[in-house]
Amino acid sequence: MFDIKNKKMFVVGLGYIGLPTAAMFSMAGFSVLGYDKDERVVERLNSGAVYVEEGVTELIDKGLKEGNLKGVSQYEEADIFIIAVPTPIKEDKSPEMSMVLDAAENIGRVIKKGNLVILESTSPPKTTTDLIAPKIRELSGLEAGKDYYLAHSPERVIPGNLLNELVNNHRIIGGVNLESAEAAKACYETFVKADIYLTDSTTAELAKLMENTFRDVNIGLANETARICEDLGVNVWELISLANKHPRVNLHTPGPGVGGHCIAVDPWFIVYNSKNANIINLGRKINDSVPDHVYSMVKDIIPKGKLTILGLTYKPNTDDFRESPVVELAKKLIADPDYEVSLTDPYGENKQLKVAGLEIKKDHMKALEGSDLLIMGVNHKDYDDLDLSEIGKVMNTKTIFDTRNSISREEAEKAGFKYILLGDGKHA
Ligand code: SAJ
């Protein structure tokens, strides 16, 4: 039996998941050290200067103040190790596991008998048993499940509702043996209010991947349906709302593509590991092709002129621009000599984008000055009450291309706009 009393915890990776998890455990009574290979992240944490999301930031501040949470730049001995490092994909879509391997190697140098190691990072099937366990054995001589506990407890929180989902989502914990799963459960049940289900580590890994794959394949179906509707003179948004009246149907929402570092990434981990992943592979390809389709629609609507894209994050109401399909679209349009492109997003100027040569204005009215086409890229809440008559006054040509069905056709037309909606073959 693993006793969690007075235990020292070492969290590897102070990112979007590692930091809130570390803060949560510090509140639950563990003495938590947070490690990051980037010393600036550690410094920022220790000086109390991190911002994650409402609620989480306060939790981190409390942990720091009470002395149960501290950032460190060196690995050291602990009772429990949590790996929460990124697991992206490489250019060829294969998993980039070097950060997990590096964590396992460093843990392998300091681990002792009786310790517990938990992988939180979303990972390809068999990472726990075939990558982490052998690496730790190589460095320490210790056997997973015999000399120490080893489990996978995938995070399942959605950016934008982190704290609530961290506490209230059900958890799956997969151990290399039952004792390992139970040891990890003893930790998480200190703050998780929902159910915790125990299984083996490979099932837990695949379950997490399938959750995001379910969403990706369904969004792929929605995006394909939008193309079909464009072919057949049907409005996909009307169609979906009607089909979803059936009690067992839940068609997802089409849009300008799928972004983020979860849904657009995780299905590839399955494709890479099984030759039978056919629908999954196709769903990914369909979703990845959407920005190209949106680009060709823009070309049809207006062959040259000034374009303004409203909203560029990977989804509404987040400040995260990484892997955004709208950023991909923006890059394509900017590279096209027929267009002058202006970008605007309420989440504002972003350093990373500046490096890529993209300038984002906060004020959409300024961005829209002299524009020939307004492209609704991301329907942030801030765009709920756009003043179309004022917008019409600053634009050169009054045309809207809505990729989100977030502007009313009726209102746009009343304000004198030509209105084109993605997936609406009825009005094409
Ligand atoms: N999107 C659509 N149509 C839809 C739903 C989403 O085009 O009907 C697009 C969004 O605009 C966005 C992308 O898909 O570009 C992904 O957004 P999302 O809100 O579906 O998901 P993420 O990536 O922010 O978070 C997901 C969540 N997984 C599920 O809902 C199954 C979250 O619970 C996971 O913890 C997270 O991935 C993760 O870290 O794996």
Side-chain angles (χ1 to χ4, degrees):
M1 255 287 276
F2 186 79
D3 182 6
I4 58 162
K5 240 182 265 141
N6 302 321
K7 288 288 192 276
K8 177 174 162 188
M9 185 178 275
F10 193 94
V11 177
V12 183
L14 296 175
Y16 211 80
I17 296 301
L19 200 46
T21 304
M24 213 51 160
F25 275 121
S26 78
M27 288 296 113
F30 293 90
S31 155
V32 183
L33 294 181
Y35 165 89
D36 203 286
K37 66 175 183 199
D38 185 342
E39 286 187 17
R40 286 166 308 176
V41 173
V42 175
E43 270 166 36
R44 238 180 283 142
L45 169 64
N46 287 334
S47 62
V50 280
Y51 179 79
V52 182
E53 213 175 274
E54 224 181 286
V56 183
T57 310
E58 288 76 4
L59 209 64
I60 296 167
D61 289 347
K62 199 155 175 252
L64 289 171
K65 246 184 232 128
E66 292 178 1
N68 295 326
L69 177 64
K70 197 178 109 193
V72 293
S73 295
Q74 297 292 328
Y75 277 79
E76 59 182 83
E77 289 187 354
D79 305 297
I80 303 160
F81 294 89
I82 296 194
I83 303 173
V85 295
T87 47
I89 41 169
K90 298 181 194 159
E91 196 73 30
D92 67 354
K93 315 289 185 198
S94 65
E96 167 59 272
M97 298 306 288
S98 60
M99 286 174 265
V100 169
L101 257 182
D102 185 68
E105 192 172 324
N106 280 295
I107 291 169
R109 293 185 212 283
V110 294
I111 193 171
K112 299 182 307 302
K113 269 195 170 182
N115 283 177
L116 163 64
V117 178
I118 302 169
L119 172 68
E120 274 237 13
S121 313
T122 306
S123 298
K126 298 192 192 292
T127 297
T128 309
T129 50
D130 295 6
L131 203 81
I132 296 184
K135 193 40 103 188
I136 291 181
R137 190 197 309 119
E138 186 189 317
L139 273 296
S140 66
L142 299 184
E143 209 59 63
K146 193 167 137 253
D147 301 318
Y148 72 99
Y149 304 95
L150 177 60
H152 177 48
S153 174
E155 58 82 11
R156 298 168 111 185
V157 293
I158 194 132
N161 193 21
L162 252 162
L163 197 56
N164 176 28
E165 295 210 351
L166 205 55
V167 174
N168 295 312
N169 282 3
H170 301 308
R171 276 241 165 205
I172 303 172
I173 297 179
V176 294
N177 56 359
L178 183 61
E179 290 75 18
S180 291
E182 280 170 343
K185 182 183 178 196
C187 299
Y188 286 95
E189 66 189 4
T190 57
F191 70 81
V192 172
K193 290 195 183 136
D195 301 331
I196 298 179
Y197 299 93
L198 303 189
T199 182
D200 63 275
S201 57
T202 309
T203 304
E205 286 157 348
L206 190 58
K208 161 70 203 222
L209 297 177
M210 276 302 170
E211 291 163 15
N212 281 346
T213 299
F214 168 85
R215 208 157 157 81
D216 193 47
V217 167
N218 275 287
I219 299 167
L221 180 64
N223 283 327
E224 185 168 283
T225 308
R227 298 302 86 79
I228 293 168
C229 288
E230 285 162 4
D231 287 345
L232 299 181
V234 171
N235 178 341
V236 74
W237 308 91
E238 181 192 1
L239 172 103
I240 289 175
S241 80
L242 293 174
N244 284 353
K245 302 281 183 229
H246 186 289
R248 285 177 297 283
V249 173
N250 176 25
L251 280 167
H252 284 43
T253 313
V258 173
H261 8 277
C262 310
I263 295 199
V265 170
D266 298 358
W268 290 121
F269 291 171
I270 303 174
V271 172
Y272 187 78
N273 276 279
S274 169
K275 61 179 183 343
N276 289 311
N278 300 318
I279 295 183
I280 300 174
N281 195 4
L282 194 57
R284 257 314 44 250
K285 286 183 176 154
I286 289 170
N287 286 333
D288 271 356
S289 73
V290 178
D292 269 339
H293 174 72
V294 177
Y295 170 75
S296 70
M297 279 191 82
V298 173
K299 286 245 86 160
D300 285 346
I301 297 167
I302 162 179
K304 62 196 312 176
K306 182 178 172 189
L307 317 170
T308 300
I309 305 180
L310 268 67
L312 286 114
T313 53
Y314 88 88
K315 66 175 185 177
N317 311 315
T318 166
D319 60 359
D320 198 338
F321 291 86
R322 288 174 294 173
E323 324 292 342
S324 164
V326 189
V327 168
E328 206 185 314
L329 170 70
K331 285 182 181 165
K332 277 183 207 300
L333 292 169
I334 287 169
D336 188 327
D338 289 332
Y339 297 121
E340 183 192 336
V341 184
S342 159
L343 309 174
T344 177
D345 192 292
Y347 290 92
E349 298 120 26
N350 178 286
K351 281 194 204 103
Q352 268 172 304
L353 292 176
K354 261 197 183 146
V355 174
L358 304 184
E359 283 273 1
I360 298 191
K361 297 189 181 77
K362 269 196 169 179
D363 181 349
H364 64 266
M365 289 305 285
K366 278 225 171 69
L368 280 160
E369 270 169 26
S371 241
D372 298 296
L373 180 67
L374 180 165
I375 303 173
M376 175 50 75
V378 181
N379 49 333
H380 293 297
K381 275 199 195 86
D382 296 59
Y383 295 147
D384 280 355
D385 302 308
L386 287 177
D387 189 336
L388 293 179
S389 67
E390 285 306 306
I391 287 176
K393 284 181 198 156
V394 300
M395 285 180 73
N396 185 41
T397 317
K398 288 160 75 169
T399 311
I400 292 174
F401 175 32
D402 188 355
T403 70
R404 299 278 185 173
N405 193 27
S406 71
I407 297 173
S408 132
R409 170 181 296 280
E410 203 189 330
E411 276 175 34
E413 288 177 349
K414 216 163 70 195
F417 279 86
K418 182 175 175 200
Y419 176 82
I420 296 116
L421 174 62
L422 185 83
D424 184 359
K426 232 182 205 179
H427 295 90

